[in-house]
Amino acid sequence: MRGETDRLVDTGLIEGAVVDLVVRAANAATVVDAQRLVAELRGFSGVRTAGIVPALSPVVGDLDLLERLPVGPAQWGQELRVEFSAAPARAELLPAASEIAAAADRALAQPCHPVPPPPMLGSPLAWAITTGARAMILLVDPARGWSALSDSFTTVLGYDRHRPPDYRILDLIHPDDRPAAVAMFLTCCTGRHPEQTVDLRVCTVHGRWRTIEVAARSFVEDAQVGAVVFFGLDVTQQRETERAARVEQQRLARLVETMGDGLLLLDADGRVSLANRAAHRLLDTGMLDVSPEHDPDDPAPLDWSAVIARSIARLGPDAVRVDRLREGFRSRRAVVGEELAFEDGRVLELDLVPVTCPGEADGGTLIHLRDVTARVAVRRGLEERSRGLEARNQALAEATAMNNEFVATVAHELRGPLSSVVAFSHLLGDATSGALSEDQRTYLDVIDRNANRLLRLIEDLLLLSRLEARTLQLKPVPTRLPELLAAAVAERIPAALAAGIELTLDCADGPDLVCDDTRVHQVVDNLVSNAVKFTPSGGRVTVRAGPADDGWTIAVADSGVGIPAADLPRLFSSFFRGSNVTAAVGRQVMPGTGLGLVVSRAIVELHGGSISVASTEGVGTTVTLSLPTRTARNGG
């Protein structure tokens, strides 16, 4: 069955019209003429569609019946597309279509040079408004050329609009933007107004590119105008700002999307407008491959209300926390660090932060989610361990207090009777009490010696308990250290001479030492006594002292038996005595209490100083004290 076009072809009814169309196309002078011919071509019954369009626009229709004829230079990207209804119609009408495309091509190839602007356009008021307009206004007459009607053409681009450069209008436009400019011009030549504005980069007189937002209005059908009018606004700075904002927005979007913490942005109505991948993961939405931006055209958007309701249902006993969050959202109050424990063991920490946008009373709310399950588990473990440690420390403190109280009580109770034993032994030894035999004298010496030893032990225990309980009060006074050391050494010279040991003092002069002189004397006496006690006959003990930095350094050195390396870590332990003292000294040595160094270190540290021991077995020992000029702290 043959169509209407075939009947027309057969009858030759359109042959004359086609010939006439071809002839008029060959004589067409402007693009307006060519567009009118395209409109006539669309009127033929054998043509479904016809129009000059950008070559990159989508192709629709029957490709076998579609003809695409280039219009203008290839870089402008324009073509005449004609879709025929049947093959015979295509054969009959193609010559006319080709001639119209050639006419449009010739018209576009004609140079559009500048022409002087008209001296007056409309009324004086209209002309004043036109010339002083902020927008650049260009009049393009397809038959004559182009003219700049507003002074802003000179202000923005630098050209004198009354004597513009002899350029085609397209020569001022960036090559990449020329297809869009030509398409806008072609639309206007049909008598229609382009629906949208176009950004065109236009070259200034200094060779720089300015971005001009261009709108066009067609007056080609107006007999008094017969031209196309372009309106352009300089938006260079605005577009640069927008580009920078887009770059920053893209950077921010990438940052938000790659964050390990979940982010939700709610609008003023509580709808989720942004959610990153971490938020989908933490809330278990099942949509990890969504775009970070909300797509309003998505036919099946995520039901966030159901997601949030499902999450709340998993919280169990945390209803109070949820009510607090809801109240914070309603009152636009920040909520920070709210922990939500889920039934599956996960713990999410949530921040609710109101967002204020410029010019808006309510910019929405930002929700920040963090998975703190591991941190909470560690914290709970530490809390339980801390409670256990506190209980053990309390028990240890109580046991220590009881031990100190017991030692102090026992020592106090023993000191009275021992003092009586010592006193009465002295009375028995007094010549006025009567003569004693040699054996009685020996027995009395043993009683006196051991009673005094036990008394010293008790005194050390009492002092140590006060030091450990921090109830010992120092009484610091300015002290001449050389005099204190001389007195301490003098007290031990008789014992040193009796043992055949050389005891010397080497002390430099220096500032006064603010200290409890009684306690420092006790420390020095302990050290010198130990040195003499554990040095064999023929040895020597030297006490050296001098100012150092902001204090004094005192060293007690001996050439005694030394201390085994295995014993050094235990020197400052209560009741500890070296394993080699009795065998190495070579004479009977009165056993010590094992508290001298312990008490000495406690007194030195109470003064804010330090004590150290250096010893080599069989060579000797040096004990060094460092005391600040002023006492750093007090007991009690």
Side-chain angles (χ1 to χ4, degrees):
M1 183 177 180
R2 308 177 70 185
E4 180 184 359
T5 302
D6 293 331
R7 285 199 311 274
L8 291 175
V9 172
D10 288 343
T11 58
L13 295 179
I14 65 171
E15 182 177 352
V18 171
V19 172
D20 179 67
L21 194 61
V22 170
V23 171
R24 284 189 290 125
N27 296 322
T30 67
V31 178
V32 175
D33 296 336
Q35 287 286 35
R36 288 170 178 163
L37 294 173
V38 171
E40 290 186 29
L41 182 63
R42 281 196 300 270
F44 281 83
S45 58
V47 177
R48 289 177 178 168
T49 61
I52 301 177
V53 297
L56 296 179
S57 58
V59 177
V60 295
D62 188 347
L63 297 182
D64 292 335
L65 298 175
L66 181 66
E67 192 68 33
R68 303 175 65 179
L69 304 170
V71 173
Q75 61 267 28
W76 291 356
Q78 305 296 322
E79 63 184 16
L80 172 61
R81 289 185 188 176
V82 183
E83 183 184 2
F84 299 97
S85 59
R90 177 177 184 172
E92 182 72 19
L93 296 172
L94 183 58
S98 300
E99 193 62 40
I100 293 172
D105 188 84
R106 288 193 306 272
L108 287 176
Q110 293 177 1
C112 185
H113 290 293
V115 294
M120 182 66 70
L121 184 66
S123 68
L125 177 59
W127 186 241
I129 293 174
T130 301
T131 57
R134 174 172 170 264
M136 290 183 289
I137 303 176
L138 268 69
L139 184 72
V140 179
D141 187 331
R144 296 179 61 249
W146 63 275
S147 301
L149 304 183
S150 61
D151 292 335
S152 57
F153 179 81
T154 302
T155 304
V156 175
L157 301 179
Y159 304 108
D160 185 350
R161 76 177 185 90
H162 297 286
R163 291 183 295 276
D166 191 20
Y167 295 143
R168 297 183 305 171
I169 187 64
L170 284 179
D171 291 339
L172 299 178
I173 299 174
H174 194 283
D176 294 342
D177 296 342
R178 289 172 187 171
V182 171
M184 179 176 280
F185 178 67
L186 288 170
T187 299
C188 289
C189 288
T190 65
R192 295 181 290 111
H193 304 309
E195 296 180 358
Q196 297 178 342
T197 61
V198 175
D199 281 359
L200 302 177
R201 285 165 289 179
V202 180
C203 188
T204 69
V205 70
H206 301 294
R208 298 186 180 91
W209 297 105
R210 304 293 295 180
T211 301
I212 310 299
E213 184 182 38
V214 178
R217 290 294 179 266
S218 176
F219 296 96
V220 295
E221 303 298 341
D222 189 323
Q224 294 183 348
V225 181
V228 177
V229 180
F230 291 92
F231 303 87
L233 288 174
D234 184 4
V235 293
T236 306
Q237 189 62 40
Q238 177 182 340
R239 293 297 184 262
E240 182 61 28
T241 302
E242 291 172 354
R243 186 197 66 79
R246 284 195 302 271
V247 170
E248 190 63 28
Q249 186 177 17
Q250 292 168 0
R251 184 183 296 114
L252 180 61
R254 288 193 296 269
L255 175 64
V256 168
E257 192 60 20
T258 56
M259 285 181 63
D261 295 347
L263 290 179
L264 290 173
L265 184 61
L266 280 62
D267 61 19
D269 297 325
R271 293 186 296 266
V272 176
S273 58
L274 181 145
N276 65 353
R277 290 176 57 86
H280 285 277
R281 174 176 54 80
L282 293 173
L283 296 176
D284 192 21
T285 65
M287 299 180 65
L288 290 178
D289 296 327
V290 297
S291 171
E293 292 84 9
H294 174 66
D295 184 4
D297 298 327
D298 188 353
L302 183 63
D303 187 356
W304 278 103
S305 60
V307 171
I308 295 174
R310 187 167 63 247
S311 298
I312 293 175
R314 296 174 181 173
L315 288 176
D318 272 351
V320 175
R321 295 178 181 268
V322 173
D323 291 341
R324 188 159 52 241
L325 291 173
R326 285 172 174 163
E327 178 59 29
F329 180 78
R330 283 193 296 267
S331 62
R332 293 194 51 74
R333 175 176 52 86
V335 179
V336 179
E338 194 72 47
E339 290 184 359
L340 302 175
F342 289 83
E343 293 177 343
D344 59 4
R346 291 185 308 138
V347 180
L348 297 185
E349 187 177 64
L350 181 146
D351 297 339
L352 195 71
V353 183
V355 178
T356 302
C357 297
E360 296 183 12
D362 187 354
T365 304
L366 178 67
I367 298 179
H368 184 195
L369 296 168
R370 297 175 294 280
D371 190 337
V372 295
T373 307
R375 189 184 75 187
V376 170
V378 171
R379 186 185 68 202
R380 290 172 179 170
L382 290 176
E383 289 174 351
E384 293 178 1
R385 184 177 302 176
S386 176
R387 285 193 293 268
L389 288 175
E390 287 177 0
R392 287 193 291 272
N393 288 340
Q394 180 67 24
L396 181 60
E398 292 174 356
T400 302
M402 292 177 62
N403 178 69
N404 290 338
E405 183 179 356
F406 172 76
V407 170
T409 301
V410 171
H412 180 73
E413 293 299 325
L414 290 176
R415 185 168 56 177
L418 279 175
S419 298
S420 298
V421 170
V422 172
F424 280 105
S425 67
H426 287 170
L427 288 175
L428 288 173
D430 192 353
T432 60
S433 298
L436 296 175
S437 66
E438 191 63 30
D439 288 341
Q440 289 175 332
R441 177 68 62 183
T442 301
Y443 299 153
L444 192 59
D445 289 342
V446 172
I447 293 173
D448 183 67
R449 184 170 61 251
N450 284 281
N452 278 293
R453 179 189 171 207
L454 189 55
L455 193 58
R456 286 195 304 272
L457 174 60
I458 291 171
E459 293 293 341
D460 286 346
L461 283 172
L462 287 172
L463 179 59
L464 184 61
S465 66
R466 293 178 64 190
L467 288 169
E468 290 179 346
R470 297 186 179 275
T471 59
L472 178 66
Q473 294 289 337
L474 295 181
K475 298 176 181 179
V477 294
T479 303
R480 296 293 301 162
L481 190 61
E483 297 175 4
L484 184 149
L485 295 178
V489 169
E491 292 175 2
R492 292 296 168 180
I493 285 180
L497 292 176
I501 297 170
E502 179 185 356
L503 176 58
T504 60
L505 171 63
D506 180 9
C507 182
D509 195 12
D512 288 352
L513 177 66
V514 178
C515 65
D516 188 326
D517 55 350
T518 301
R519 296 304 175 188
V520 173
H521 185 282
Q522 181 181 358
V523 172
V524 175
D525 182 69
N526 276 340
L527 299 182
V528 175
S529 175
N530 283 345
V532 171
K533 185 185 299 183
F534 301 125
T535 299
S537 298
R540 65 183 180 278
V541 175
T542 304
V543 180
R544 295 186 178 87
D549 297 331
D550 293 332
W552 281 81
T553 298
I554 305 169
V556 179
D558 65 59
S559 59
V561 297
I563 303 170
D567 292 346
L568 286 174
R570 302 177 57 198
L571 276 182
F572 293 97
S573 300
S574 299
F575 306 108
F576 175 75
R577 298 177 71 247
S579 59
N580 63 334
V581 293
T582 302
V585 173
R587 66 176 185 272
Q588 185 64 35
V589 176
M590 177 64 68
T593 63
L595 294 175
L597 284 178
V598 179
V599 171
S600 297
R601 183 173 69 172
I603 292 174
V604 169
E605 290 179 349
L606 203 58
H607 280 80
S610 62
I611 184 171
S612 62
V613 178
S615 183
T616 302
E617 188 175 8
V619 176
T621 301
T622 300
V623 182
T624 304
L625 307 179
S626 295
L627 293 171
T629 302
R630 293 189 174 275
T631 302
R633 57 193 176 100
N634 199 359

